[in-house]
């Protein structure tokens, strides 16, 4: 064994300890695109969380009345960006900047909650199916395949038309058609881990199936799940916007990026600025989550393929 | 291989039944299509009664479903003039098959063009990205790929319309072709114009929609090509090729690229099903009268049998697309053996 001098020993103690998490964080910090994505996501989160103060006291619902007009302004509707309304006003004379911020809240909420719920459901299905295997696994996976083969967008449209929009209903619709990918992913990992020695050891000491699934298998599926979470938020935000674009998203007057675009497309000749910003916001947010998710994947497991 | 094919085909049958059942139930949530037909003043109530009876719609749901399934199978395998997958509510007098055949060419041109365009753009960039991993070009390529994947397609379409249609007047913003075309120094009717002029005109009209659909594909194809190429260039046989002194261009072209392209071929099979879903939004943006719009109209207008037919075709494309992918994989790569 090597003898350390007192000085060397001191140095060793001062050196930062390397842990699993610190390793990941170091790799993530080195990934420029990932950090860019994180910064973009951070900007969006700050903007929607502090929507109140950032909108300078303008309510997203208040319609400007002709009496409030300043000299030189003609109508309260379709104002171009100016000092009072930095993005102008929409077709009802509402402040577009304020609606953009509050709309982001709704869009992001739908994206995050729907993504989380799909992942919970998908992970549960995948874990149970992969762990028990046999005919049970076969049945569940055939059902998953069936759900995956169904054309998603047209049936989302049907469900949205039946359920009549609303935040909760929209989340439900996105989850119904969103859990299959995660279920397959988790099942795949579970199948490969199930035969490993530490699971056998857990069985040998008499751990119950649920304990094995949730204490021993679940933590090992964390890496792909986290990446899938980050990536799926962006696609769910786009899905929400697409449904809203078809007129089936969040009903007015609640703003969301999708329904702002839906309204604005009628005025692309007269007020194209109303189309630019909600779309740009969706694009910026989903780009951020995609960059971050990609960086996270490289940091968590360079070999991982998603 | 034959055993594999038979097994896969046998597995597809119960899945088709399950899929059709799920779609059928979801569509009936919207209400009774016959009830809607009764409200149409141009349709006699007696006729509706007869129609309802013919489709077993006066019986409970399971019988309705099996009746529909029987009709679907019969009119698929033994098509007669009158039985094209069920009548259309929104376009009375026609049936689902007539409607679909009428709208299909446009959508096929649109999505075929965009698949071709995105492969032509994405594969070379993906290969370049992989060969210069983490270099400047790779970062630009990756950025562009994510750019395409993060873009809401309808917004991109609207922006293209605003910029290239309304501001610059470079491209038409909707429709499929001009009414009149210049030919021989004078304007003639579109259908009287020479074929080349018609083709150019159509391509001009399709330019913006195809760009929108392609952008969505390019990102995925590029990332896929990149990772496939990255995997191959690390293989031992590539190192061997270099070690024996083969020039770098030959190593890349002959040894790496050919193997990297195998998984990409199979991806073509998996792209087929996206056709209708992708076209739905794009056709709506550019007011094109194809399958996508037909789907949306049928689904929203509760045009039950038309919607069922389209969604079934789309699901069948998914199932056979993935089967095709497996087969192509085995054809392109002799190491793959199914049993």
């Amino acid at each position: 064994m090597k003898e350390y001098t007192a000085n060397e020993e001191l140095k060793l103690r001062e050196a930062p300890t390397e842990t699993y998490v610190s390793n990941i964080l170091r790799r993530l910090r080195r990934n420029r695109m990932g950090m860019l994505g994180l910064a973009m996501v951070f900007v969006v989160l700050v903007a929607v969380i502090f929507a109140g103060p950032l909108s300078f006291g303008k309510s997203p619902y208040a319609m400007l009345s002709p009496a409030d007009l300043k000299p030189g302004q003609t109508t309260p509707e379709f104002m171009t960006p100016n000092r009072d309304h930095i993005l102008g006003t929409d077709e009802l004379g509402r402040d577009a900047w304020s609606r953009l911020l509050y709309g982001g809240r709704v869009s992001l909420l739908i994206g995050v909650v729907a993504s989380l719920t799909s992942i919970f459901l998908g992970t549960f299905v995948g874990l149970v199916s992969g762990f028990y295997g046999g005919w049970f696994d076969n049945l569940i996976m055939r059902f998953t395949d069936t759900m995956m083969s169904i054309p998603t967008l047209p049936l989302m449209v049907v469900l949205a038309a039946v359920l009549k929009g609303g935040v909760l209903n929209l989340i439900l619709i996105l989850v119904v058609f969103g859990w299959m990918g995660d279920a397959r992913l988790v099942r795949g990992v579970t199948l490969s881990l199930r035969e490993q020695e530490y699971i056998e050891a857990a069985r040998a000491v008499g751990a119950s199936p649920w304990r094995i699934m949730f204490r021993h298998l679940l933590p090992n599926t964390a890496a792909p799940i986290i990446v899938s979470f980050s990536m799926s938020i962006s696609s769910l935000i786009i899905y929400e916007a697409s449904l809203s674009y078809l007129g089936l998203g969040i009903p007015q007057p609640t703003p969301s990026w999708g329904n702002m675009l839906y309204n604005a497309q009628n005025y692309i000749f007269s007020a194209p600025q109303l189309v630019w910003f909600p779309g740009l916001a969706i694009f910026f947010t989903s780009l951020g989550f995609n960059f971050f998710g990609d960086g996270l994947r490289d940091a968590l497991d360079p070999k991982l393929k998603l | 291989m034959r055993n594999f094919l038979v097994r896969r085909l046998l597995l597809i049958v119960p899945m088709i039944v399950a899929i059709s059942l799920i779609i059928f139930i979801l569509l009936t949530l919207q209400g009774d299509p016959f009830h809607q037909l009764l409200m149409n003043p141009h349709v006699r109530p007696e006729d509706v009664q007869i129609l309802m009876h013919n489709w077993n719609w006066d019986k409970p749901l399971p019988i309705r479903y099996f009746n529909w399934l029987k009709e679907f199978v019969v009119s698929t395998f033994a098509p007669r003039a009158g039985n094209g997958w069920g009548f259309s509510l929104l376009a009375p007098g026609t049936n689902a098959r007539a409607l679909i055949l009428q709208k299909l060419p446009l959508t096929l041109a649109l999505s075929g063009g965009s698949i071709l365009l995105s492969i032509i753009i994405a594969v070379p960039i993906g290969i370049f990205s992989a060969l210069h991993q983490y270099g400047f070009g790779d970062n630009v390529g990756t950025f562009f790929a994510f750019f395409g994947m993060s873009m809401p397609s309808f917004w991109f379409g609207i922006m293209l319309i605003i910029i290239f249609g309304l501001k610059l007047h470079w491209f038409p913003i909707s429709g499929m072709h001009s009414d009149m075309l210049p030919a021989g120094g004078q304007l003639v009717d579109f259908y009287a114009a020479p074929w080349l002029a018609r083709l150019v005109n159509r391509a001009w009209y399709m330019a913006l929609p195809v760009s929108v659909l392609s952008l969505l594909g390019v990102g995925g194809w590029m990332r896929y090509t990149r990772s496939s190429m990255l995997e191959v260039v690390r293989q031992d046989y590539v190192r061997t090729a270099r070690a024996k002194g083969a020039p770098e261009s030959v190593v890349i072209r002959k040894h790496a690229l050919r193997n990297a392209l195998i998984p990409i071929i199979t991806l073509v099979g998996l792209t087929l099903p996206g056709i209708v879903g992708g076209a739905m939004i794009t056709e709506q943006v550019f007011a094109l009268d194809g399958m996508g719009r037909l789907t949306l109209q049928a689904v929203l207008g509760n045009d039950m049998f038309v919607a069922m037919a389209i969604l079934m075709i789309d699901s069948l494309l998914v199932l056979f697309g993935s089967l095709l992918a497996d087969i192509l994989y085995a054809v392109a790569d002799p190491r793959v053996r199914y049993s």
Side-chain angles (χ1 to χ4, degrees), chain A residues 21-41:
Chain A
V21 175
S22 79
N23 252 330
I24 290 170
L25 288 180
R26 188 167 44 79
R27 278 204 292 265
L28 186 61
R29 267 199 301 273
R30 250 198 252 142
N31 188 320
R32 256 181 267 158
M33 295 249 262
M35 289 316 280
L36 178 69
L38 183 64
M40 288 162 82
V41 170

Side-chain angles (χ1 to χ4, degrees), chain A residues 158 275-276 286 290 294 305, chain B residues 147 150 155 159 223 231 299:
Chain A
V158 174
V275 186
W276 296 347
S286 74
N290 272 333
D294 192 56
K305 268 200 193 164
Chain B
F147 185 88
S150 312
W155 182 68
M159 296 312 285
R223 296 295 286 168
E231 191 154 304
V299 157

